Amino acid sequence: MQDQFLDVPTRASPRSIALVGLQGSGKSALFEALLAIAATAPTRRNTVRRATTELRIAHRQMSDTSWAILDCPGSAEFSYDVECALSAVDLAVVVCEAAPARSANLAPLFRRIEETGTPALIFINKIDTLVGTVRESLAALQAQTRRKLVLRQVPIREGETVTGYVDLVSERAYRYHRGAPSERIAMPEFMQVRKSEARTELLESLADHDDALFEKVLEDLAPEPAEIYRPLHRGEGSGAVVSVLLGAAEHSNGVQRLWKALRHDVPSATETAARRGISLAGAPLAQVFRTLQAGHAGRLSFVRLWRGPLEDGAALGGQRVGGIYRFPGGETEKVRQAEAGDLVALGRLDGIRTGDTLGGDPLAFPEPPPPVFALSIISEARTDEVRLSTGLQRLTEEDPALTVTQDAESGTTILGGQGEIHLRTALDRLTASTGVKIRTGRPPVAFRETIRHAVIQHARLKRQTGGHGQFADVKLQIAPRPRGAGFHFDEKVVGGAVPKRFIPAIAQAAEEAARKGPLGHSVVDVAVILLDGGFHAVDSSDMAFATATRMAMQEGLAKAGPILLEPVEQVVVTAPADFTSAVQRLLTGRRGQILGFAAKAGWEGWDEVQALVPAPELSDFIIELRSQTQGLGNYVHRFDHLAEVRSR
């Protein structure tokens, strides 16, 4: 980190975009290509590609505008990071491959974009590997979103190779050059018909949103480019239309044209604030969309500054800002001031979490999803338990999609999240930041016990140890109750066989004894009735009657036909309809009882399958579910009832 302050040059309203898409679509390659084109000096591109497992941010200056670019993870396990990013940016660039078969996998992402109202643009990447036609890819993508997709370019193919593209607005042709800007060329004669067809489709789509353009299309008049860009920009900003551009980020093909589209079409920070209902009048206002422990830099809160300016050292949300940071291409730079619309990191905001609003009333923010995978964790050295606890607290502050709970019976610490990779990534960060060595395992299942039939059990305590002895005599009836009825104690003693003053101690001891039955688990749904007993005027006491009660309970429960109960969860699985039968087989293979399935409301081509599944079967269910559904399946669950454990 550089310690000196850097003055950011005067510029137009800052803008920000998020690169989103499936794992393997080439988001990171596009991220680096965008940065390289906007760099003031030659930059070295990373040629080793690894799956992105955390949000990356970089700033670049293009002309007079400052840009913040977020590179979002593509795995479904990090979908909450994407939702947080969408809450902070002006536009989402959906990066996808020219592969119609994978288009259905984008449906959840398109839903998130639509639900947040975020403007979007599609970049069909790896166009050099195009199989089939762009029209087929476009049709497959259109089936996944309610917004109208408008193709702005068509590829130029020479044989089986894509060598360039035609811009449908300007009606100009360009040839790709590896690692260099595209070259304008004369329109190939063989592209005239395809260009005319695609341009007509573009104009007809945009004419629905612009009366002047509609009249020109109706009269078969050729509009000027400005007359096309106007409804295009308006439609993109409102979310009515989504532009579709082509390229190959690995070779920098189409990236310069993408930058041009971004400069013209990305809404300003002012427009985004208006879309979100944020007033621009008043003191500085910011919202945290990410929290990070950045080593020696300390805790950083990444924010979108909706109102500004904000100076380093100023008060915000009741705290003093301890540094304002930008990230021009990976390195960290400290600046004196941030402007309204900037996306920056703020230092040393203690107690501030992801989603918090600083400087005003809380702004809407995505709710973290419930955990679908969990691990029990323990430090290898007992002396590290405090550091482990502190580290886990920081993890949940960084990533609200993580949860930390304590199992009430075993005391085990449980880390929950969105999948195995999500948790392993979090634990790697935990180990790196704390140095604590950790062991993991499957979380304990909350098994319970009950009994099959009633018994009457007698127990007598008689001890003489010098001085006052101990004497208590109890006769208990232990009987099963209906499932879910819980524990109940009563007494039917007659004639004062057991004085009233000892009854509370007996009741408490009976309930405590039920906390660990003969099978090693809490006993539920039993009724204990004190029928009779005896006492000694000198040697009887609360302690004596409690001991006798525990003796009777231990012996009686073992004779009453103890059975093991397991929690059964009500599960709702969401997946594309093509996988519904596979989901049902997966559920029944895990002792699930299918309750039914139906189309998911608002999700064309998706189903919801409802089932009752024993909790032990859900420990790694999400891993197999995603394996069987191309990574698209997800589920939610809640406790339904306890049921006797039965073999498969």
Side-chain angles (χ1 to χ4, degrees):
M1 176 183 292
Q2 301 179 13
D3 293 330
Q4 73 273 20
F5 288 102
L6 296 180
D7 290 315
V8 178
T10 303
R11 58 193 187 275
S13 171
R15 301 189 183 191
S16 57
I17 62 171
L19 306 183
V20 299
L22 302 176
Q23 189 170 308
S25 62
K27 294 186 310 302
S28 294
L30 181 58
F31 179 74
E32 293 175 7
L34 287 167
L35 297 181
I37 288 176
T40 55
T43 60
R44 182 179 179 181
R45 298 268 300 273
N46 182 13
T47 58
V48 179
R49 304 293 178 208
R50 293 184 297 177
T52 301
T53 57
E54 63 179 26
L55 206 62
R56 296 197 297 168
I57 178 175
H59 290 88
R60 275 292 189 264
Q61 192 81 11
M62 282 291 282
S63 300
D64 64 343
T65 303
S66 173
W67 289 83
I69 307 174
L70 302 182
D71 180 20
C72 301
S75 169
E77 298 188 22
F78 300 95
S79 60
Y80 187 65
D81 286 349
V82 175
E83 293 188 56
C84 294
L86 292 177
S87 74
V89 299
D90 301 310
L91 179 137
V93 178
V94 181
V95 185
C96 60
E97 298 174 75
R102 293 197 70 193
S103 297
N105 298 28
L106 287 164
L109 176 57
F110 279 124
R111 292 300 184 277
R112 292 187 187 99
I113 291 172
E114 291 164 3
E115 288 167 0
T116 58
T118 307
L121 180 153
I122 293 175
F123 184 77
I124 298 182
N125 195 22
K126 305 181 184 180
I127 196 66
D128 53 323
T129 65
L130 176 64
V131 176
T133 67
V134 165
R135 277 177 287 192
E136 292 170 342
S137 293
L138 187 69
L141 290 168
Q142 184 65 77
Q144 311 310 321
T145 177
R146 293 187 288 265
R147 294 179 176 178
K148 178 63 179 177
L149 306 187
V150 293
L151 188 65
R152 290 175 58 172
Q153 300 169 335
V154 291
I156 298 174
R157 279 177 122 158
E158 297 179 13
E160 296 300 317
T161 304
V162 175
T163 60
Y165 69 92
V166 174
D167 186 289
L168 296 176
V169 178
S170 66
E171 298 185 275
R172 295 173 178 174
Y174 296 86
R175 181 180 299 279
Y176 290 138
H177 290 290
R178 182 183 289 260
S182 299
E183 171 194 4
R184 184 179 173 184
I185 59 174
M187 181 72 65
E189 187 62 32
F190 64 86
M191 289 299 299
Q192 291 289 354
V193 174
R194 175 66 185 119
K195 183 263 294 182
S196 297
E197 292 175 346
R199 194 169 195 267
T200 298
E201 293 172 2
L202 169 65
L203 295 179
E204 289 177 347
S205 296
L206 295 178
D208 292 337
H209 308 281
D210 189 272
D211 292 339
L213 182 60
F214 178 78
E215 290 181 8
K216 286 216 167 185
V217 170
L218 201 61
E219 297 173 9
D220 201 22
L221 299 175
E224 296 295 325
E227 295 176 293
I228 301 175
Y229 284 125
R230 184 180 59 246
L232 191 59
H233 176 78
R234 187 188 306 121
E236 287 176 334
S238 67
V241 300
V242 176
S243 289
V244 180
L245 302 178
L246 315 176
E250 192 73 35
H251 310 311
S252 296
N253 295 154
V255 182
Q256 187 82 48
R257 183 63 188 84
L258 173 60
W259 256 125
K260 184 177 180 181
L262 294 174
R263 293 201 307 272
H264 287 93
D265 298 340
V266 172
S268 67
T270 300
E271 293 172 295
T272 302
R275 173 174 61 81
R276 294 196 56 190
I278 301 172
S279 171
L280 297 182
L285 175 72
Q287 185 171 42
V288 182
F289 69 91
R290 185 193 183 203
T291 307
L292 179 67
Q293 299 294 335
H296 67 278
R299 180 193 182 96
L300 294 179
S301 298
F302 290 75
V303 304
R304 185 74 191 265
L305 185 63
W306 296 109
R307 293 200 299 256
L310 177 68
E311 294 186 355
D312 187 21
L316 182 65
Q319 294 198 42
R320 179 182 175 276
V321 175
I324 302 175
Y325 302 94
R326 294 168 57 82
F327 305 87
E331 69 276 15
T332 305
E333 293 180 347
K334 193 173 185 180
V335 296
R336 295 181 182 279
Q337 179 175 290
E339 304 296 332
D342 267 333
L343 196 155
V344 294
L346 306 180
R348 301 188 182 93
L349 298 180
D350 295 331
I352 300 301
R353 302 170 65 96
T354 299
D356 286 351
T357 302
L358 308 175
D361 294 333
L363 300 174
F365 197 77
E367 287 291 330
V372 294
F373 186 77
L375 292 171
S376 64
I377 58 175
I378 187 173
S379 58
E380 291 187 0
R382 298 193 65 178
T383 54
D384 287 336
E385 289 179 357
V386 174
R387 279 198 295 164
L388 174 60
S389 177
T390 302
L392 288 173
Q393 181 181 348
R394 289 176 177 171
L395 272 185
T396 57
E397 290 174 353
E398 289 182 24
D399 185 354
L402 294 169
T403 62
V404 175
T405 56
Q406 296 287 330
D407 181 71
E409 294 183 20
S410 65
T412 304
T413 300
I414 309 296
L415 179 65
Q418 300 307 300
E420 187 175 25
I421 298 174
H422 185 211
L423 294 195
R424 294 297 178 190
T425 301
L427 291 176
D428 287 345
R429 294 204 311 270
L430 178 65
T431 300
S433 63
T434 65
V436 176
K437 294 184 178 180
I438 300 168
R439 292 199 303 267
T440 63
R442 285 193 174 189
V445 176
F447 289 107
R448 295 291 183 264
E449 299 176 34
T450 193
I451 55 178
R452 294 186 184 276
H453 53 80
V455 297
I456 294 177
Q457 184 64 43
H458 173 256
R460 171 177 288 187
L461 174 68
K462 185 176 182 181
R463 292 177 184 167
Q464 196 68 39
T465 56
H468 289 307
Q470 297 185 58
F471 181 86
D473 190 298
V474 295
K475 185 178 183 181
L476 304 179
Q477 180 187 70
I478 307 172
R481 301 186 74 199
R483 191 76 71 244
F487 177 88
H488 178 72
F489 177 85
D490 201 358
E491 59 91 10
K492 296 183 179 179
V493 178
V494 296
V498 177
K500 294 290 185 182
R501 65 179 184 274
F502 296 129
I503 302 297
I506 296 172
Q508 182 178 349
E511 187 170 3
E512 290 175 352
R515 292 175 186 168
K516 187 171 183 180
L519 302 179
H521 304 280
S522 293
V523 181
V524 297
D525 304 333
V526 295
V528 178
I529 302 175
L530 176 63
L531 300 176
D532 201 359
F535 76 102
H536 187 277
V538 176
D539 294 341
S540 290
S541 64
D542 284 347
M543 183 181 296
F545 272 101
T547 302
T549 300
R550 286 191 288 268
M551 293 165 53
M553 288 291 292
Q554 184 177 8
E555 295 179 30
L557 289 171
K559 296 175 182 178
I563 57 174
L564 188 62
L565 303 176
E566 63 184 351
V568 175
E569 303 283 307
Q570 185 178 86
V571 174
V572 180
V573 179
T574 302
D578 291 344
F579 300 112
T580 298
S581 58
V583 169
Q584 291 176 324
R585 287 193 298 271
L586 179 58
L587 289 167
T588 55
R590 290 175 175 255
R591 297 188 288 135
Q593 176 190 349
I594 305 295
L595 301 178
F597 70 93
K600 181 174 174 62
W603 288 57
E604 185 177 348
W606 284 63
D607 282 343
E608 287 184 335
V609 182
Q610 297 189 32
L612 295 175
V613 184
E617 300 289 346
L618 294 177
S619 62
D620 60 351
F621 176 66
I622 191 64
I623 297 174
E624 190 172 1
L625 173 62
R626 287 180 175 149
S627 174
Q628 295 286 325
T629 60
Q630 296 182 9
L632 295 172
N634 205 359
Y635 79 101
V636 293
H637 63 103
R638 63 176 178 81
F639 173 76
D640 192 81
H641 66 280
L642 291 169
E644 182 178 352
V645 175
R646 300 183 185 276
S647 59
R648 291 179 182 269

